[in-house]
Amino acid sequence: MKRFYEKIVQYKKCLVVLFTFSALLCLWVGQRVAVNYDIADYLPSHSPSSRALEVMEEEFEGGIPNARVMISNVTIAEALEYKEKLARVEGVEAVTWLDDAVNILQPLATLDQEQVQTYYQDNTALFTVTIKEDMRIEAVQNLRELIGEDQAMSGSAVSTAISTTATVSEVQLISVFAVLFVLVVLVLTTTSWVEPIIVLVGLGVAIAINKGTNLMFGEISFVTNAAGSILQLAVSLDYSVFLLHRFEECRQTNSDVKSAMVEALGKSTLSILSSGLTTVIGFLALVLMQFRLGPDLGLALAKGVAISLIIVFTFMPALILLVYRQIDRTKHRPFVPKLQSLGKWVSRLSMPLVILFALVIVPSYLASNANDYYYGASHIFNETTQLGADTLAIEKRFGQNDTYVLLLPQGDLATETKLSQALNELPQVKSIISYVDLAGAEIPLSYLDETTRAKLMSENYSRMVLSVNVPYEGEETFSVVETIRHIANQYYPDDYYLAGEGVSTYDLMKTISTDMTKVNLVAILAVFIVLVFSLKSVLLPIFLVLSIETAIWLNLAIPYFSDTPIFYIAYLIISSIQLGATVDYAILMTDRYRENRMQGSKKEAVIQTIMDVTVSILTSGSTLTVVGLLMGYISSNQLLGQLGLFIGRGAIFSLIIVLFVLPGILYLFDHFIIKSNPVFLTEKEGEEVEEALA
């Protein structure tokens, strides 16, 4: 490695130019990376609802209805006029209303009132709209202009369109605040006015290159787009700071700046790489999820940290050497005082804190696994947003409603009729639009007009459109999906397809529920193995992983005790993110304790370790806390908001446990930590240990 670092130092100007050009290019390319805001698109391709959507796209022109539009104070005739206007909006594929289900030329009093009230009641009309996926933003904006602000619309297409436009501006605002906070933290924790700028430049180059190289994925999810850069900023910050500190230390004993930088790189390689590797592994564990949002986020985050490591070992040394004179000229006194009193306080309270820690492990674990969950996107916008208020208004008038599409092999109208009758008996099914329901099995297909027939019949399939009076997700919804599939399977064994938002959410629930244990176990095991080899110990990795896992359980236990449902996607992702992002703090604490233990007693080692690492840990931890909380409180998207809240709150729990509990654990198990790992110690290290313990 020394020869490699010597080459880095030798070609410093070329490296700075190369990486600067790469960052500018990737910054331009990054603006062209497509972002997907539809959670259902990340279901495994083999899931039943995904396959159903593929078949329907192949067989029929119109998709599944994905929006509801409510118009108040209209007559039947005016509602029909609105239907035509809605259908003419660019991006709208189809509009379904009362006239598609019944003959409205008859008096309303003579019609099936349950069907009528599904679409029209109290002079208020509810239209079911199908919007093209690639034109959701334009179509939703045009629909809003058509109906006005005082009318209401909801649905997955509306939610996706609003997420797309709102998230972009919110992420920009979060990023600005995050950079400003990082700048303040760096000013407080460094000893030169130039050092914060150097660190931010290095982080900016790494983030720009990561965003640009996301082009290799084709598109990224809105979660990755919103959280990726902010998380990369937070978890990679301490790499550059650590290198700067090492460089300053080496310069005190080495007057040649180039050789001092080579020495600093050599001394910091193991610490930075072990820290970065555990973070990368924590993120890569998400790749094992069947739910493809996990691999999307995991690969982008792991790539981001890997790029940050490359930048720290190549671009940053070159940049520091080019501006070290400016660093020297702008030196100032340290703003953070010595923390000896904190070390003494932690040392005195170490045993009570360890006991308290032991008492909360089991309750926090049990509570973290007993939460109520949202699986889909139906609760992403709350009532404080226009979409949330519109959704509530529609549900108050017409109830919670969803639209399912059932595809059946064409040709057996008698069986279709029996199936329709069985489905109509379900209390949650309010209406069915199909050939056998509109015309009847005895009416020839030729009697149906071409437009209507194309909606209900294809070359190979018949289509039933079911209006079901259930929410987009929940126990009742999942039960209805299972019941419809069971009934359809009785008449068409393994030869039917069912699609719809509630159906996709059901499949999503089944998919991601099986991911949790696998992802967590792999992440924990992989991090544990890395720690075993980097710390040359079996016992220490157990303490470190248990410390961070307990912080994760405490983080996820709060929603249980506050009776707050959480998004299962955020629940699933945060475990790997918090483990990967904050286990570094525990590694740094343990490394320094072992170093200090060679110089004095275990009590002195605890005090000195607290003094040595608190500023470094708080620099990274406070940044992760603030950027997470910013995302939590600024994002109108509740999924992103909750994920941000988990990140910020999780960082706080990790900081508390690492700074106040882990020193006590190291103190308590000092004898085993120092002496019970001879297998992993060299002969020289063994002699040093024996001397320290003597």
Side-chain angles (χ1 to χ4, degrees), residues 338-383:
K338 295 288 185 180
L339 298 171
Q340 188 172 9
S341 57
L342 176 64
K344 292 179 179 179
W345 183 83
V346 172
S347 177
R348 286 196 297 268
L349 294 179
S350 58
M351 289 304 101
L353 290 173
V354 170
I355 293 171
L356 179 62
F357 170 77
L359 291 175
V360 303
I361 291 176
V362 173
S364 63
Y365 171 77
L366 295 175
S368 69
N369 286 281
N371 284 293
D372 294 323
Y373 304 105
Y374 297 137
Y375 294 93
S378 56
H379 295 88
I380 278 183
F381 291 94
N382 60 28
E383 297 171 14

Side-chain angles (χ1 to χ4, degrees), residues 296-325:
D296 181 274
L297 180 62
L299 286 172
L301 287 176
K303 175 168 64 69
V305 175
I307 290 172
S308 293
L309 289 172
I310 293 171
I311 292 296
V312 166
F313 291 121
T314 55
F315 175 77
M316 285 297 293
L319 180 62
I320 292 170
L321 288 177
L322 287 177
V323 299
Y324 76 93
R325 290 187 178 87

Side-chain angles (χ1 to χ4, degrees), residues 242 245-246 249 271 535 585-599 604-606 608-614 616-617 666:
F242 189 73
H245 288 169
R246 279 292 189 187
E249 290 176 12
S271 301
L535 296 176
Y585 313 155
I587 294 172
L588 179 59
M589 174 71 73
T590 305
D591 275 342
R592 283 301 179 97
Y593 177 82
R594 296 175 85 186
E595 288 180 20
N596 292 324
R597 183 66 179 88
M598 297 297 178
Q599 309 301 323
E604 291 171 344
V606 166
Q608 187 60 46
T609 300
I610 295 294
M611 293 173 60
D612 291 342
V613 305
T614 297
S616 297
I617 291 175
L666 296 174

Side-chain angles (χ1 to χ4, degrees), residues 264-468:
L265 286 166
K267 288 184 175 180
S268 59
T269 296
L270 183 60
S271 301
I272 294 176
L273 277 182
S274 61
S275 176
L277 188 57
T278 53
T279 304
V280 168
I281 288 174
F283 292 156
L284 281 179
L286 295 171
V287 174
L288 299 174
M289 291 172 58
Q290 295 183 73
F291 180 49
R292 291 179 294 164
L293 190 64
D296 181 274
L297 180 62
L299 286 172
L301 287 176
K303 175 168 64 69
V305 175
I307 290 172
S308 293
L309 289 172
I310 293 171
I311 292 296
V312 166
F313 291 121
T314 55
F315 175 77
M316 285 297 293
L319 180 62
I320 292 170
L321 288 177
L322 287 177
V323 299
Y324 76 93
R325 290 187 178 87
Q326 284 71 33
I327 295 176
D328 293 341
R329 293 194 195 103
T330 57
K331 287 287 186 181
H332 60 75
R333 63 176 181 81
F335 293 120
V336 179
K338 295 288 185 180
L339 298 171
Q340 188 172 9
S341 57
L342 176 64
K344 292 179 179 179
W345 183 83
V346 172
S347 177
R348 286 196 297 268
L349 294 179
S350 58
M351 289 304 101
L353 290 173
V354 170
I355 293 171
L356 179 62
F357 170 77
L359 291 175
V360 303
I361 291 176
V362 173
S364 63
Y365 171 77
L366 295 175
S368 69
N369 286 281
N371 284 293
D372 294 323
Y373 304 105
Y374 297 137
Y375 294 93
S378 56
H379 295 88
I380 278 183
F381 291 94
N382 60 28
E383 297 171 14
T384 61
T385 64
Q386 183 176 28
L387 176 57
D390 282 2
T391 302
L392 184 63
I394 292 173
E395 289 178 353
K396 279 185 177 180
R397 175 76 68 178
F398 290 94
Q400 294 178 314
N401 195 77
D402 197 2
T403 302
Y404 300 165
V405 173
L406 186 60
L407 302 182
L408 310 166
Q410 195 191 116
D412 191 349
L413 294 179
T415 304
E416 283 185 41
T417 301
K418 292 178 183 178
L419 173 59
S420 178
Q421 290 170 349
L423 293 174
N424 271 304
E425 291 177 2
L426 296 176
Q428 295 90 350
V429 176
K430 297 306 177 184
S431 69
I432 299 177
I433 299 175
S434 70
Y435 172 73
V436 295
D437 286 278
L438 289 179
E442 66 281 357
I443 305 296
L445 280 173
S446 58
Y447 278 73
L448 219 57
D449 68 88
E450 186 62 32
T451 302
T452 304
R453 187 168 61 187
K455 291 180 180 178
L456 304 177
M457 294 282 190
S458 71
E459 184 178 348
N460 302 301
Y461 289 92
S462 296
R463 179 160 68 169
M464 288 185 173
V465 181
L466 287 67
S467 178
V468 288

